[in-house]
Amino acid sequence: MKAIVYTKYGSPDVLQLKEVEKPTPKDNEVLIKIHAAAVTIGDVIVVKGEPFPVRFWSGLLEPNNKIPGKEMAGRVEAVGTNVTQFQPGDEVFGDLSVCGLGAFAEYVSVPENAIALKPANLTFEEAAAVPESAVVALQGLRDKGKIQPGQKVLINGASGGVGTYAVQIAKSFGADVTAVCSTRNLDMARSIGADHVIDYTQEDFTQNGQRYDLILAANGYHPLSDYRRALTPEGFYVGTGGAMAQTFQGMLLGPIMSMTGSKTMGNMLVKPNKNDLVFMKELLEAGKVVPVIDRRYPLSEVPEAFRYVEEGHAQGKVVITVEQNGKI
Ligand SMILES: NC(=O)c1ccc[n+]([C@@H]2O[C@H](COP(=O)([O-])OP(=O)(O)OC[C@H]3O[C@@H](n4cnc5c(N)ncnc54)[C@H](OP(=O)(O)O)[C@@H]3O)[C@@H](O)[C@H]2O)c1
């Protein structure tokens, strides 16, 4: 089969399209013919091996998993003898960070618990754009941020892979949502349901006197003390990403700030799991959430897709389309 392979950490130049052996499913595994995958900034970080601590997960000197890629959607081609939840022909999607990556390939073999049935109303490309980014947003808002109907929720970085889901998921919980993005993304943010938009090139939301019950920081940077000031007295700040300084402040200062006063501040790390994939499937099938896809690239152009994502200005998701019988 064709796959994107890398054997040493580095820029997207280390990614090569190669012919490798097609996997065979073990007893508990499902062999999937991948139709589409998605590139996240996390994939770029894993392939670079930077910042260094990522290597404690991905391999100290060289990558443990030679085929990168987390988010994918495809069709089940074969199942192991102990598989009970899937059968050949099923359309599935999943986040492969729980089982050794491998989404940038024609096939992958994964434990059945890593995947769920694909939302019936989505194309493979749309479904591949969901598994990690949507679940980060879901867990940040629901589990860490304790979102409630009627709350004022602000999403910083609302136009990216995580932010476009966060806006829609927050709306589905009945929140009043403010999306923070740049000028060119204001209309898109409104179109996915934001009640209010703030153009960060014109206005600093931490300085305008407004207070929010929940702030999800998906991108950008503000000092943690500014985020804290923009919260209501019992408010929650959840950092999912953004600038390195934002991440480290959330990790180190968040727990200390939470001890003094009634505001709760901190980061979250996504915990991929099947229940949340199914939760997202239901929201997607109900039409409450729609993936926003910016660009599509063929498998052979994964390095170009990485370069684009690395620039940090994607509007929603960047998808890889895998050829089927010579056709895209
Ligand atoms: N915690 C976890 O477990 C977890 C899991 C997955 C991802 N993440 C992290 O979550 C973060 C977001 O991921 P993503 O996939 O959404 O990234 P992304 O798609 O690459 O984000 C790009 C978007 O961010 C916007 N942006 C850039 N600078 C901004 C600023 N100063 N203020 C507001 N928006 C800004 C860009 O729009 P403009 O350029 O037009 O502003 C663009 O639409 C990343 O740091 C990622 O590493 C964390």
Side-chain angles (χ1 to χ4, degrees), residues 40-42 45 70 132-133 136 156-163 180-185 200 217-221 239-243 247 268-271 309 312-317:
T40 68
I41 192 71
I45 289 170
K70 291 181 279 188
E132 185 194 60
S133 298
V136 176
N156 192 25
S159 55
V162 173
V180 180
C181 52
S182 67
T183 320
R184 69 190 182 98
N185 289 314
Y200 74 78
N219 223 327
Y221 170 75
T240 72
T247 303
M268 56 89 57
L269 199 57
V270 66
K271 296 187 186 81
V309 168
H313 300 294
Q315 191 185 59
K317 297 286 297 178

mmCIF file of all heavy atoms in Angstrom, residues 40-42 45 70 132-133 136 156-163 180-185 200 217-221 239-243 247 268-271 309 312-317, ligand 1:
data_model
loop_
_atom_site.group_PDB
_atom_site.id
_atom_site.type_symbol
_atom_site.label_atom_id
_atom_site.label_comp_id
_atom_site.label_asym_id
_atom_site.label_seq_id
_atom_site.Cartn_x
_atom_site.Cartn_y
_atom_site.Cartn_z
ATOM 1 N N THR A 40 -3.334 18.008 11.628
ATOM 2 C CA THR A 40 -3.466 18.983 12.714
ATOM 3 C C THR A 40 -2.081 19.528 13.049
ATOM 4 O O THR A 40 -1.066 18.941 12.671
ATOM 5 C CB THR A 40 -4.036 18.345 13.996
ATOM 6 O OG1 THR A 40 -3.056 17.441 14.518
ATOM 7 C CG2 THR A 40 -5.319 17.594 13.732
ATOM 8 N N ILE A 41 -2.071 20.607 13.823
ATOM 9 C CA ILE A 41 -0.792 21.168 14.252
ATOM 10 C C ILE A 41 -0.063 20.145 15.137
ATOM 11 O O ILE A 41 1.171 20.094 15.168
ATOM 12 C CB ILE A 41 -1.000 22.541 14.953
ATOM 13 C CG1 ILE A 41 0.329 23.280 15.140
ATOM 14 C CG2 ILE A 41 -1.745 22.420 16.230
ATOM 15 C CD1 ILE A 41 0.925 23.805 13.877
ATOM 16 N N GLY A 42 -0.833 19.283 15.794
ATOM 17 C CA GLY A 42 -0.232 18.213 16.602
ATOM 18 C C GLY A 42 0.582 17.256 15.734
ATOM 19 O O GLY A 42 1.651 16.780 16.143
ATOM 20 N N ILE A 45 3.888 18.870 15.033
ATOM 21 C CA ILE A 45 4.756 18.818 16.226
ATOM 22 C C ILE A 45 5.380 17.429 16.370
ATOM 23 O O ILE A 45 6.581 17.290 16.630
ATOM 24 C CB ILE A 45 3.921 19.200 17.485
ATOM 25 C CG1 ILE A 45 3.601 20.695 17.441
ATOM 26 C CG2 ILE A 45 4.643 18.832 18.764
ATOM 27 C CD1 ILE A 45 2.585 21.148 18.473
ATOM 28 N N LYS A 70 -3.350 11.157 12.743
ATOM 29 C CA LYS A 70 -4.265 10.735 13.818
ATOM 30 C C LYS A 70 -5.698 10.585 13.327
ATOM 31 O O LYS A 70 -6.353 9.590 13.572
ATOM 32 C CB LYS A 70 -4.259 11.805 14.924
ATOM 33 C CG LYS A 70 -2.966 11.877 15.676
ATOM 34 C CD LYS A 70 -3.020 12.932 16.754
ATOM 35 C CE LYS A 70 -2.768 14.290 16.169
ATOM 36 N NZ LYS A 70 -2.611 15.340 17.170
ATOM 37 N N GLU A 132 -10.249 14.224 16.493
ATOM 38 C CA GLU A 132 -9.526 14.842 17.601
ATOM 39 C C GLU A 132 -10.036 16.249 17.891
ATOM 40 O O GLU A 132 -10.369 16.580 19.030
ATOM 41 C CB GLU A 132 -8.026 14.907 17.339
ATOM 42 C CG GLU A 132 -7.323 15.451 18.578
ATOM 43 C CD GLU A 132 -5.898 15.887 18.341
ATOM 44 O OE1 GLU A 132 -5.672 16.793 17.502
ATOM 45 O OE2 GLU A 132 -5.004 15.339 18.977
ATOM 46 N N SER A 133 -10.111 17.081 16.861
ATOM 47 C CA SER A 133 -10.417 18.501 17.089
ATOM 48 C C SER A 133 -11.759 18.688 17.792
ATOM 49 O O SER A 133 -11.879 19.500 18.718
ATOM 50 C CB SER A 133 -10.443 19.246 15.753
ATOM 51 O OG SER A 133 -9.181 19.173 15.150
ATOM 52 N N VAL A 136 -11.540 17.488 21.490
ATOM 53 C CA VAL A 136 -10.840 18.473 22.342
ATOM 54 C C VAL A 136 -11.842 19.548 22.769
ATOM 55 O O VAL A 136 -11.949 19.890 23.953
ATOM 56 C CB VAL A 136 -9.690 19.178 21.575
ATOM 57 C CG1 VAL A 136 -9.057 20.259 22.444
ATOM 58 C CG2 VAL A 136 -8.650 18.195 21.119
ATOM 59 N N ASN A 156 -11.581 31.765 22.179
ATOM 60 C CA ASN A 156 -10.470 32.489 21.556
ATOM 61 C C ASN A 156 -9.799 31.544 20.560
ATOM 62 O O ASN A 156 -9.477 30.408 20.900
ATOM 63 C CB ASN A 156 -9.460 32.945 22.623
ATOM 64 C CG ASN A 156 -8.467 33.924 22.035
ATOM 65 O OD1 ASN A 156 -8.759 34.600 21.049
ATOM 66 N ND2 ASN A 156 -7.297 34.020 22.643
ATOM 67 N N GLY A 157 -9.603 32.017 19.319
ATOM 68 C CA GLY A 157 -9.099 31.124 18.274
ATOM 69 C C GLY A 157 -10.257 30.362 17.646
ATOM 70 O O GLY A 157 -10.139 29.174 17.326
ATOM 71 N N ALA A 158 -11.381 31.066 17.445
ATOM 72 C CA ALA A 158 -12.627 30.413 17.022
ATOM 73 C C ALA A 158 -12.620 29.944 15.576
ATOM 74 O O ALA A 158 -13.506 29.191 15.167
ATOM 75 C CB ALA A 158 -13.796 31.376 17.238
ATOM 76 N N SER A 159 -11.625 30.361 14.791
ATOM 77 C CA SER A 159 -11.651 30.029 13.358
ATOM 78 C C SER A 159 -10.818 28.816 12.992
ATOM 79 O O SER A 159 -10.788 28.399 11.836
ATOM 80 C CB SER A 159 -11.158 31.235 12.551
ATOM 81 O OG SER A 159 -9.880 31.640 13.022
ATOM 82 N N GLY A 160 -10.123 28.211 13.959
ATOM 83 C CA GLY A 160 -9.254 27.081 13.639
ATOM 84 C C GLY A 160 -9.939 25.739 13.765
ATOM 85 O O GLY A 160 -11.161 25.657 13.929
ATOM 86 N N GLY A 161 -9.134 24.679 13.688
ATOM 87 C CA GLY A 161 -9.659 23.312 13.731
ATOM 88 C C GLY A 161 -10.458 23.046 14.999
ATOM 89 O O GLY A 161 -11.548 22.476 14.953
ATOM 90 N N VAL A 162 -9.924 23.450 16.142
ATOM 91 C CA VAL A 162 -10.627 23.226 17.416
ATOM 92 C C VAL A 162 -11.731 24.271 17.602
ATOM 93 O O VAL A 162 -12.857 23.948 17.983
ATOM 94 C CB VAL A 162 -9.624 23.284 18.600
ATOM 95 C CG1 VAL A 162 -10.351 23.216 19.931
ATOM 96 C CG2 VAL A 162 -8.601 22.154 18.493
ATOM 97 N N GLY A 163 -11.407 25.528 17.294
ATOM 98 C CA GLY A 163 -12.340 26.633 17.568
ATOM 99 C C GLY A 163 -13.655 26.517 16.815
ATOM 100 O O GLY A 163 -14.719 26.823 17.373
ATOM 101 N N VAL A 180 -13.791 34.830 19.002
ATOM 102 C CA VAL A 180 -12.693 35.764 18.777
ATOM 103 C C VAL A 180 -11.858 35.247 17.607
ATOM 104 O O VAL A 180 -11.346 34.121 17.651
ATOM 105 C CB VAL A 180 -11.803 35.912 20.034
ATOM 106 C CG1 VAL A 180 -10.666 36.888 19.770
ATOM 107 C CG2 VAL A 180 -12.649 36.362 21.221
ATOM 108 N N CYS A 181 -11.772 36.049 16.554
ATOM 109 C CA CYS A 181 -10.991 35.653 15.378
ATOM 110 C C CYS A 181 -10.556 36.908 14.627
ATOM 111 O O CYS A 181 -10.863 38.023 15.060
ATOM 112 C CB CYS A 181 -11.804 34.715 14.481
ATOM 113 S SG CYS A 181 -13.423 35.324 14.044
ATOM 114 N N SER A 182 -9.845 36.724 13.505
ATOM 115 C CA SER A 182 -9.387 37.897 12.753
ATOM 116 C C SER A 182 -10.471 38.345 11.773
ATOM 117 O O SER A 182 -11.456 37.633 11.545
ATOM 118 C CB SER A 182 -8.083 37.585 12.022
ATOM 119 O OG SER A 182 -8.338 36.642 11.014
ATOM 120 N N THR A 183 -10.247 39.505 11.165
ATOM 121 C CA THR A 183 -11.261 40.139 10.314
ATOM 122 C C THR A 183 -11.801 39.184 9.252
ATOM 123 O O THR A 183 -13.013 39.076 9.062
ATOM 124 C CB THR A 183 -10.643 41.377 9.618
ATOM 125 O OG1 THR A 183 -9.812 42.057 10.543
ATOM 126 C CG2 THR A 183 -11.710 42.304 9.084
ATOM 127 N N ARG A 184 -10.899 38.475 8.582
ATOM 128 C CA ARG A 184 -11.326 37.653 7.442
ATOM 129 C C ARG A 184 -12.205 36.478 7.877
ATOM 130 O O ARG A 184 -12.883 35.867 7.049
ATOM 131 C CB ARG A 184 -10.119 37.144 6.659
ATOM 132 C CG ARG A 184 -9.308 36.120 7.402
ATOM 133 C CD ARG A 184 -7.985 35.800 6.741
ATOM 134 N NE ARG A 184 -7.310 34.770 7.514
ATOM 135 C CZ ARG A 184 -7.326 33.486 7.240
ATOM 136 N NH1 ARG A 184 -7.936 33.051 6.164
ATOM 137 N NH2 ARG A 184 -6.723 32.613 8.009
ATOM 138 N N ASN A 185 -12.202 36.145 9.179
ATOM 139 C CA ASN A 185 -12.978 34.988 9.639
ATOM 140 C C ASN A 185 -14.284 35.351 10.351
ATOM 141 O O ASN A 185 -15.001 34.461 10.803
ATOM 142 C CB ASN A 185 -12.113 34.140 10.585
ATOM 143 C CG ASN A 185 -11.018 33.411 9.834
ATOM 144 O OD1 ASN A 185 -11.275 32.806 8.788
ATOM 145 N ND2 ASN A 185 -9.796 33.465 10.334
ATOM 146 N N TYR A 200 -9.883 40.196 16.791
ATOM 147 C CA TYR A 200 -8.754 40.424 17.703
ATOM 148 C C TYR A 200 -7.738 41.410 17.147
ATOM 149 O O TYR A 200 -6.886 41.910 17.885
ATOM 150 C CB TYR A 200 -8.085 39.096 18.105
ATOM 151 C CG TYR A 200 -7.243 38.418 17.050
ATOM 152 C CD1 TYR A 200 -5.950 38.852 16.756
ATOM 153 C CD2 TYR A 200 -7.715 37.317 16.349
ATOM 154 C CE1 TYR A 200 -5.172 38.224 15.796
ATOM 155 C CE2 TYR A 200 -6.950 36.677 15.398
ATOM 156 C CZ TYR A 200 -5.681 37.132 15.124
ATOM 157 O OH TYR A 200 -4.914 36.516 14.171
ATOM 158 N N ALA A 217 -9.627 28.788 25.492
ATOM 159 C CA ALA A 217 -8.517 29.387 24.732
ATOM 160 C C ALA A 217 -7.934 28.332 23.810
ATOM 161 O O ALA A 217 -7.109 27.514 24.223
ATOM 162 C CB ALA A 217 -7.464 29.926 25.685
ATOM 163 N N ALA A 218 -8.398 28.339 22.559
ATOM 164 C CA ALA A 218 -7.907 27.363 21.579
ATOM 165 C C ALA A 218 -6.673 27.891 20.881
ATOM 166 O O ALA A 218 -5.820 27.121 20.441
ATOM 167 C CB ALA A 218 -9.000 27.051 20.556
ATOM 168 N N ASN A 219 -6.587 29.200 20.746
ATOM 169 C CA ASN A 219 -5.425 29.767 20.049
ATOM 170 C C ASN A 219 -5.157 31.180 20.531
ATOM 171 O O ASN A 219 -5.916 31.731 21.316
ATOM 172 C CB ASN A 219 -5.634 29.739 18.535
ATOM 173 C CG ASN A 219 -4.369 29.276 17.845
ATOM 174 O OD1 ASN A 219 -3.264 29.549 18.320
ATOM 175 N ND2 ASN A 219 -4.507 28.581 16.741
ATOM 176 N N GLY A 220 -4.078 31.770 20.032
ATOM 177 C CA GLY A 220 -3.718 33.131 20.415
ATOM 178 C C GLY A 220 -2.928 33.157 21.707
ATOM 179 O O GLY A 220 -2.459 32.109 22.179
ATOM 180 N N TYR A 221 -2.789 34.345 22.276
ATOM 181 C CA TYR A 221 -2.082 34.479 23.539
ATOM 182 C C TYR A 221 -2.600 35.676 24.322
ATOM 183 O O TYR A 221 -2.770 36.769 23.768
ATOM 184 C CB TYR A 221 -0.570 34.669 23.331
ATOM 185 C CG TYR A 221 0.112 35.053 24.625
ATOM 186 C CD1 TYR A 221 0.324 34.101 25.609
ATOM 187 C CD2 TYR A 221 0.475 36.376 24.892
ATOM 188 C CE1 TYR A 221 0.881 34.438 26.834
ATOM 189 C CE2 TYR A 221 1.043 36.723 26.109
ATOM 190 C CZ TYR A 221 1.246 35.750 27.079
ATOM 191 O OH TYR A 221 1.794 36.094 28.288
ATOM 192 N N GLY A 239 -7.602 26.188 28.912
ATOM 193 C CA GLY A 239 -6.627 26.346 27.823
ATOM 194 C C GLY A 239 -6.467 25.023 27.099
ATOM 195 O O GLY A 239 -6.160 24.002 27.707
ATOM 196 N N THR A 240 -6.704 25.056 25.770
ATOM 197 C CA THR A 240 -6.461 23.818 25.006
ATOM 198 C C THR A 240 -5.212 23.963 24.154
ATOM 199 O O THR A 240 -4.638 22.976 23.716
ATOM 200 C CB THR A 240 -7.641 23.450 24.071
ATOM 201 O OG1 THR A 240 -7.657 24.382 22.974
ATOM 202 C CG2 THR A 240 -8.957 23.482 24.786
ATOM 203 N N GLY A 241 -4.779 25.189 23.892
ATOM 204 C CA GLY A 241 -3.604 25.358 23.029
ATOM 205 C C GLY A 241 -3.235 26.808 22.903
ATOM 206 O O GLY A 241 -3.439 27.597 23.828
ATOM 207 N N GLY A 242 -2.687 27.187 21.742
ATOM 208 C CA GLY A 242 -2.242 28.558 21.520
ATOM 209 C C GLY A 242 -0.742 28.666 21.671
ATOM 210 O O GLY A 242 -0.023 27.670 21.602
ATOM 211 N N ALA A 243 -0.286 29.892 21.909
ATOM 212 C CA ALA A 243 1.156 30.133 22.013
ATOM 213 C C ALA A 243 1.749 29.317 23.163
ATOM 214 O O ALA A 243 1.053 28.991 24.121
ATOM 215 C CB ALA A 243 1.399 31.624 22.250
ATOM 216 N N THR A 247 0.317 28.086 26.964
ATOM 217 C CA THR A 247 0.241 26.697 27.421
ATOM 218 C C THR A 247 0.979 26.530 28.749
ATOM 219 O O THR A 247 0.456 25.939 29.696
ATOM 220 C CB THR A 247 0.857 25.763 26.352
ATOM 221 O OG1 THR A 247 0.147 25.988 25.132
ATOM 222 C CG2 THR A 247 0.758 24.307 26.739
ATOM 223 N N MET A 268 -6.193 21.659 29.509
ATOM 224 C CA MET A 268 -6.695 20.290 29.385
ATOM 225 C C MET A 268 -5.926 19.549 28.295
ATOM 226 O O MET A 268 -5.396 20.158 27.367
ATOM 227 C CB MET A 268 -8.198 20.256 29.087
ATOM 228 C CG MET A 268 -8.678 20.996 27.874
ATOM 229 S SD MET A 268 -8.710 20.077 26.324
ATOM 230 C CE MET A 268 -9.712 18.687 26.651
ATOM 231 N N LEU A 269 -5.839 18.249 28.466
ATOM 232 C CA LEU A 269 -5.228 17.380 27.466
ATOM 233 C C LEU A 269 -6.318 16.419 27.007
ATOM 234 O O LEU A 269 -6.969 15.797 27.854
ATOM 235 C CB LEU A 269 -4.065 16.610 28.107
ATOM 236 C CG LEU A 269 -3.032 15.998 27.182
ATOM 237 C CD1 LEU A 269 -2.399 17.057 26.289
ATOM 238 C CD2 LEU A 269 -1.964 15.292 27.999
ATOM 239 N N VAL A 270 -6.497 16.327 25.709
ATOM 240 C CA VAL A 270 -7.600 15.500 25.201
ATOM 241 C C VAL A 270 -7.403 14.036 25.586
ATOM 242 O O VAL A 270 -6.279 13.525 25.605
ATOM 243 C CB VAL A 270 -7.731 15.644 23.661
ATOM 244 C CG1 VAL A 270 -6.530 15.085 22.935
ATOM 245 C CG2 VAL A 270 -9.022 15.001 23.169
ATOM 246 N N LYS A 271 -8.520 13.379 25.928
ATOM 247 C CA LYS A 271 -8.486 11.937 26.205
ATOM 248 C C LYS A 271 -9.363 11.266 25.152
ATOM 249 O O LYS A 271 -10.589 11.187 25.314
ATOM 250 C CB LYS A 271 -9.055 11.653 27.604
ATOM 251 C CG LYS A 271 -8.232 12.258 28.730
ATOM 252 C CD LYS A 271 -8.782 11.781 30.079
ATOM 253 C CE LYS A 271 -8.095 12.450 31.237
ATOM 254 N NZ LYS A 271 -8.605 13.784 31.540
ATOM 255 N N VAL A 309 -0.620 24.009 7.379
ATOM 256 C CA VAL A 309 -1.108 23.979 8.771
ATOM 257 C C VAL A 309 -0.117 24.683 9.698
ATOM 258 O O VAL A 309 -0.502 25.411 10.614
ATOM 259 C CB VAL A 309 -1.355 22.512 9.217
ATOM 260 C CG1 VAL A 309 -1.565 22.418 10.723
ATOM 261 C CG2 VAL A 309 -2.551 21.928 8.475
ATOM 262 N N GLY A 312 -0.337 28.333 10.571
ATOM 263 C CA GLY A 312 -1.209 28.708 11.690
ATOM 264 C C GLY A 312 -2.421 29.544 11.307
ATOM 265 O O GLY A 312 -3.006 30.184 12.174
ATOM 266 N N HIS A 313 -2.807 29.536 10.027
ATOM 267 C CA HIS A 313 -3.939 30.373 9.635
ATOM 268 C C HIS A 313 -5.057 29.578 8.947
ATOM 269 O O HIS A 313 -5.856 30.142 8.209
ATOM 270 C CB HIS A 313 -3.464 31.507 8.716
ATOM 271 C CG HIS A 313 -2.451 32.385 9.377
ATOM 272 N ND1 HIS A 313 -2.767 33.174 10.456
ATOM 273 C CD2 HIS A 313 -1.130 32.545 9.142
ATOM 274 C CE1 HIS A 313 -1.673 33.812 10.859
ATOM 275 N NE2 HIS A 313 -0.669 33.446 10.083
ATOM 276 N N ALA A 314 -5.090 28.270 9.174
ATOM 277 C CA ALA A 314 -6.152 27.475 8.542
ATOM 278 C C ALA A 314 -7.512 27.945 9.036
ATOM 279 O O ALA A 314 -7.672 28.318 10.200
ATOM 280 C CB ALA A 314 -5.955 26.007 8.876
ATOM 281 N N GLN A 315 -8.478 27.941 8.126
ATOM 282 C CA GLN A 315 -9.856 28.288 8.495
ATOM 283 C C GLN A 315 -10.606 26.968 8.649
ATOM 284 O O GLN A 315 -11.085 26.415 7.679
ATOM 285 C CB GLN A 315 -10.481 29.154 7.398
ATOM 286 C CG GLN A 315 -11.797 29.760 7.807
ATOM 287 C CD GLN A 315 -12.460 30.507 6.677
ATOM 288 O OE1 GLN A 315 -12.751 29.930 5.627
ATOM 289 N NE2 GLN A 315 -12.722 31.788 6.866
ATOM 290 N N GLY A 316 -10.650 26.440 9.857
ATOM 291 C CA GLY A 316 -11.219 25.110 10.067
ATOM 292 C C GLY A 316 -10.162 24.052 9.828
ATOM 293 O O GLY A 316 -9.016 24.203 10.236
ATOM 294 N N LYS A 317 -10.536 22.999 9.099
ATOM 295 C CA LYS A 317 -9.689 21.814 9.003
ATOM 296 C C LYS A 317 -9.026 21.649 7.638
ATOM 297 O O LYS A 317 -9.557 22.077 6.614
ATOM 298 C CB LYS A 317 -10.553 20.579 9.273
ATOM 299 C CG LYS A 317 -11.144 20.549 10.672
ATOM 300 C CD LYS A 317 -10.134 20.217 11.747
ATOM 301 C CE LYS A 317 -9.575 18.831 11.568
ATOM 302 N NZ LYS A 317 -8.552 18.525 12.575
HETATM 303 N N1 LIG B 1 -5.003 20.149 24.632
HETATM 304 C C1 LIG B 1 -5.083 19.214 23.726
HETATM 305 O O1 LIG B 1 -5.230 18.019 24.027
HETATM 306 C C2 LIG B 1 -5.010 19.616 22.277
HETATM 307 C C3 LIG B 1 -5.440 18.757 21.269
HETATM 308 C C4 LIG B 1 -5.417 19.226 19.953
HETATM 309 C C5 LIG B 1 -4.943 20.498 19.687
HETATM 310 N N2 LIG B 1 -4.469 21.268 20.700
HETATM 311 C C6 LIG B 1 -3.946 22.616 20.475
HETATM 312 O O2 LIG B 1 -5.050 23.480 20.234
HETATM 313 C C7 LIG B 1 -4.580 24.605 19.503
HETATM 314 C C8 LIG B 1 -5.551 24.922 18.406
HETATM 315 O O3 LIG B 1 -5.555 23.865 17.464
HETATM 316 P P1 LIG B 1 -6.243 24.101 16.068
HETATM 317 O O4 LIG B 1 -6.267 22.784 15.368
HETATM 318 O O5 LIG B 1 -7.502 24.833 16.258
HETATM 319 O O6 LIG B 1 -5.157 25.050 15.391
HETATM 320 P P2 LIG B 1 -5.244 25.712 13.966
HETATM 321 O O7 LIG B 1 -6.406 25.185 13.214
HETATM 322 O O8 LIG B 1 -3.902 25.595 13.353
HETATM 323 O O9 LIG B 1 -5.501 27.256 14.320
HETATM 324 C C9 LIG B 1 -5.445 28.157 13.293
HETATM 325 C C10 LIG B 1 -6.461 29.261 13.553
HETATM 326 O O10 LIG B 1 -6.085 30.053 14.676
HETATM 327 C C11 LIG B 1 -6.378 31.416 14.379
HETATM 328 N N3 LIG B 1 -5.482 32.310 15.140
HETATM 329 C C12 LIG B 1 -4.171 32.494 14.943
HETATM 330 N N4 LIG B 1 -3.686 33.408 15.802
HETATM 331 C C13 LIG B 1 -4.740 33.812 16.574
HETATM 332 C C14 LIG B 1 -4.893 34.748 17.643
HETATM 333 N N5 LIG B 1 -3.868 35.462 18.090
HETATM 334 N N6 LIG B 1 -6.105 34.897 18.199
HETATM 335 C C15 LIG B 1 -7.167 34.178 17.756
HETATM 336 N N7 LIG B 1 -7.084 33.294 16.734
HETATM 337 C C16 LIG B 1 -5.893 33.104 16.149
HETATM 338 C C17 LIG B 1 -6.121 31.503 12.898
HETATM 339 O O11 LIG B 1 -6.872 32.513 12.262
HETATM 340 P P3 LIG B 1 -6.184 33.892 11.829
HETATM 341 O O12 LIG B 1 -4.787 33.583 11.426
HETATM 342 O O13 LIG B 1 -7.022 34.462 10.759
HETATM 343 O O14 LIG B 1 -6.274 34.647 13.107
HETATM 344 C C18 LIG B 1 -6.591 30.147 12.368
HETATM 345 O O15 LIG B 1 -7.951 30.161 11.942
HETATM 346 C C19 LIG B 1 -3.164 24.267 19.039
HETATM 347 O O16 LIG B 1 -2.247 24.950 19.851
HETATM 348 C C20 LIG B 1 -3.063 22.774 19.263
HETATM 349 O O17 LIG B 1 -1.736 22.371 19.529
HETATM 350 C C21 LIG B 1 -4.499 20.851 21.982
#
